[in-house]
């Protein structure tokens, strides 16, 4: 059943009236994660609930995006102009802001299965309402919450030659699966409402993403209130991030499959992959300096060092902007096909992308087509570009161009000659280089997606997360086809901490608070253990600063884990690669200690020995004990004088002044993390000499004419932070 009486409206409040008329005032609203939220409709419904206490509204979603505000006076001064520039025209998601401010009314509850990292650590209500689920189980668990209304931002088809249709564009991930389930719920007697909010700013994607308008009950189309898409700024990449990305790029196999997540480590991987492809001699110089081949033999067996001749295929729940850069640089180019038999023959090298008579012979031998050809054979050959669209089959004869007619028997010499001359297509068609479930990224990313040439756009298939994260049977692909497509899978994800026994801590803390969520990480790790030749790669920085002290991210143990130890595989820090799959506990413990920050190796080894996991006479080899930031910088410097590993390899949203100010504020925050550090920093700041060098940046912070004592102090703190950038000092003690 579909919304045969679809209502088109240009007012969000009128949409709310329609929804209440259909389902009543007890509403469980399912919203897509990230970008796909219909902000006008969601805000109108939430406002109605605030005004009418008889409405009971439960919003079930994930990743509610808000513009940053800043937690201190200096951070707010820094962020406000930037936020206005980037988000000034994007309406704010009001319920999400009220969640952050602890201002939800009693008749409204918000449950999420994935948080923006760290955003709700201090909000007990959201911690209580969090729903822990794998991404592939999210639809099941949303339905269990009693969802009866779904809202979705959609790309209208009229602008793309598809009147009467819409595209899920950024979020088919869960929506493709939940809509038919809701229609079934409706058929079983529960009223439901599907609401689409059209926004022409959304890039158009076809294939699995396209649906008829009448799949929805209510469509909000209000061009006068259209708004830009919420963007995520480009993330800065540190030398440590670049080194991690470099090691990860050495594990990519030409002709393989790539999954990668959001964040600076993903950016670093994409950048290093591009350097490997386009500037291989530069990449090789770093490879040799790091002695990767010698120190980490897993690269010889599973990775590669050459440019990407065959190319990669992307299969990632999140299509990060890095995949677009890989596409533009000619790396993301390995096409996969929805037919398992054809894909298998391509993998085996028996069929190439250029159709030939030999292609037909192989297809016959494998039983994919018959001879003489039948209508279904001909259609299959045309659909895959093996025959030209103009070829017809009538009366047992093939009709080719220029009125030529030949027997449909592929053994006939004349048929073969004529097909060779005028019947074969130029290359296989229908292939896909990228399967994605959702996307969110910088505005530059959205604009380039909107401007994609049609030929490239057709090679991207936005689809259900169950297709991407599962191998099991699904409406969009069976297990054998997926396995044939996902050759040499490299599933690269990040974590916060990693225990010596091989467990990843990615989503929560020891006290039970949730930092983000499981998302699809478990799915990809498990898939890597099921696919022949695939590897799960978990990346993390070896250490972090907490409370003004350096802390190891490789820990002896931790009360919480996201990925259990029996799924341990490959782990990467800026100090190397630990190959853990199938290894003994002692080898796992030592492999992780080897890539830990050298400040913590002795204490980790001591604990391992005490637990009996490492023999008591083991001594750290000398070449393990130089895991320092200086060693990372020296390794990257082997690339040469040019800045091959920049902080912002794919552009930036901040100005030069903002970048310097951001660094200064970050340094100030670190130096004031402890009471002693705060007193010391304040004392030094009060004594700074303002010689006018930073006038432009002081003006950018709105502190040119400070009035209050707070403003005068903030001005001095900014100057002190900028001065410290010019003569940095090492601060902070080490905490084991």
């Amino acid at each position: 059943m579909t919304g045969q009486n679809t209502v088109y409206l240009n007012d969000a409040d009128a949409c709310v009236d329609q929804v209440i008329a259909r389902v009543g005032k007890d509403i469980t609203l399912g919203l897509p994660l990230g970008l796909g939220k219909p902000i006008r409709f969601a805000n109108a419904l939430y406002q109605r609930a605030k005004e009418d206490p008889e409405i009971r509204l439960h919003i079930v979603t994930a990743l509610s995006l808000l513009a940053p505000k800043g937690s201190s006076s200096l951070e707010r001064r820094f962020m406000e102009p930037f936020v206005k520039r980037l988000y000034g025209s994007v309406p704010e998601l009001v319920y999400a802001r009220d969640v952050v401010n602890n201002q939800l009314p009693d008749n409204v509850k918000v449950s999420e299965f994935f948080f923006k990292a760290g955003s709700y650590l201090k909000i007990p209500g959201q911690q209580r309402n969090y729903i822990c689920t794998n991404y592939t189980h999210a639809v099941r668990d949303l339905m269990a919450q009693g969802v009866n209304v779904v809202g979705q931002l959609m790309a209208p088809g009229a602008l793309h030659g598809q009147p009467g249709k819409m595209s899920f564009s950024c979020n088919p991930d869960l929506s493709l699966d939940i809509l038919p389930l809701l229609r079934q719920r409706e058929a079983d007697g529960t009223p439901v409402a599907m609401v689409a909010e059209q926004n022409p700013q959304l890039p158009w994607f076809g294939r699995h993403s396209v649906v008829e308008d009448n799949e929805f009950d209510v469509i909000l189309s209000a061009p006068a209130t259209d708004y830009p898409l919420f963007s995520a700024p480009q993330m800065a990449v540190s030398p440590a991030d670049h080194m991690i990305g470099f090691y990860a790029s050495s594990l990519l196999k030409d002709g393989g499959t790539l999954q990668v997540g959001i964040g600076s480590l993903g950016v670093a991987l994409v950048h290093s992959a591009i350097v490997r492809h386009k500037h291989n001699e530069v990449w090789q110089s770093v490879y040799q300096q790091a002695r990767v081949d010698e120190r980490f033999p897993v690269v010889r067996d599973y990775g590669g060092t050459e440019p990407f001749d065959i190319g990669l295929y992307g299969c990632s729940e999140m299509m990060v902007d890095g995949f677009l850069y890989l596409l533009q640089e000619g790396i993301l180019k390995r096409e996969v096909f929805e037919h398992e038999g054809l894909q298998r023959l391509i993998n085996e090298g028996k069929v190439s992308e250029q159709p030939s008579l030999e292609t037909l012979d192989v297809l016959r031998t494998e039983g994919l087509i018959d001879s003489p050809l039948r209508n279904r054979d001909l259609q299959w050959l045309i659909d895959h570009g093996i025959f030209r669209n103009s070829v017809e089959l009538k009366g047992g004869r093939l009709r080719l161009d220029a009125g030529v007619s030949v027997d449909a028997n592929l053994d006939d010499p004349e048929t073969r000659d004529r097909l060779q001359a005028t019947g074969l297509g130029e290359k296989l068609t229908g292939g896909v280089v990228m399967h994605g479930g959702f996307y969110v990224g910088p505005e530059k990313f959205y604009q380039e997606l909107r401007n994609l040439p049609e030929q490239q756009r057709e090679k991207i298939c936005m689809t259900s997360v169950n297709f991407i994260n599962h191998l099991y049977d699904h409406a969009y692909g069976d297990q054998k086809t997926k396995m044939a497509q996902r050759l040499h899978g490299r599933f690269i994800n990040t974590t916060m901490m990693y225990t010596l026994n091989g467990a990843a801590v990615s989503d929560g803390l020891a006290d039970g608070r949730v930092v983000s969520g499981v998302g699809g990480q478990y799915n990809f790790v498990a898939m890597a253990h099921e696919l022949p030749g695939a590897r799960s790669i978990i990346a993390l920085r070896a250490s972090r600063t907490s409370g003004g002290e350096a802390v190891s991210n490789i820990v002896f143990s931790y009360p919480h884990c996201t990925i259990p130890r029996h799924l341990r595989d490959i782990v990467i820090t800026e100090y190397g690669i630990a190959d853990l799959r199938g290894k003994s506990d002692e080898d796992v413990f030592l492999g992780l200690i080897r890539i830990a920050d050298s400040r913590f190796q002795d204490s980790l080894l001591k604990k391992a020995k005490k637990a009996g996991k490492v023999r008591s006479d083991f001594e750290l080899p000398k070449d393990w004990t130089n895991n320092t930031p200086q060693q990372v910088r020296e390794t990257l410097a082997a690339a040469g004088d040019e800045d091959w590993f920049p902080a912002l390899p794919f552009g930036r949203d901040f100005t030069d002044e903002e970048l310097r100010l951001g660094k200064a504020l970050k340094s100030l925050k670190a130096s004031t993390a402890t009471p002693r550090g705060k007193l010391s920093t304040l004392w030094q700041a009060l004594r700074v000499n303002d010689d006018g060098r930073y006038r432009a940046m002081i003006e950018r912070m709105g502190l040119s004419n400070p009035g209050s004592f707070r403003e005068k102090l903030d001005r001095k703190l900014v100057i002190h932070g900028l001065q410290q950038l010019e003569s940095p000092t090492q601060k902070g003690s080490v905490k084991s």
Side-chain angles (χ1 to χ4, degrees), residues 352-402:
S352 71
E353 66 174 17
Q354 279 80 36
S356 64
L357 295 177
E358 289 72 23
T359 300
L360 298 176
D361 294 338
V362 170
L363 295 175
R364 288 178 60 195
T365 301
E366 296 290 330
L368 299 186
I369 61 173
D370 289 328
S371 179
L373 291 172
R374 296 166 296 174
N375 280 314
R376 68 179 185 184
D377 298 321
L378 176 62
Q379 190 58 54
W380 189 88
L381 292 167
I382 291 174
D383 288 345
H384 290 91
I386 300 168
F387 275 7
R388 297 181 186 180
N389 289 333
S390 57
V391 179
E392 297 178 313
L393 179 61
K394 292 187 177 181
R397 295 185 67 81
L398 293 173
R399 296 190 178 184
L400 311 179
D401 293 344

Side-chain angles (χ1 to χ4, degrees), residues 309-330:
D309 180 37
I310 302 169
L312 300 177
Y313 153 62
C315 187
S316 187
E317 63 184 25
M318 182 175 185
M319 183 173 72
V320 295
D321 58 329
F323 281 108
L324 182 61
Y325 308 136
L326 294 174
L327 178 68
Q328 292 169 339
E329 298 295 349

Side-chain angles (χ1 to χ4, degrees), residues 238-248 286 290 573-575 632 635-636:
S238 69
D241 297 337
H242 270 305
M243 200 68 236
I244 293 169
F246 181 86
Y247 283 125
V286 178
T573 72
E574 63 267 39
Y575 302 120
V632 168
T635 302
L636 293 175

Side-chain angles (χ1 to χ4, degrees), residues 716-729:
K716 287 182 173 291
L717 283 167
V718 171
I719 293 171
H720 172 64
L722 291 167
Q723 289 176 346
Q724 291 299 102
L725 285 184
E726 296 177 1
S727 55
T729 56

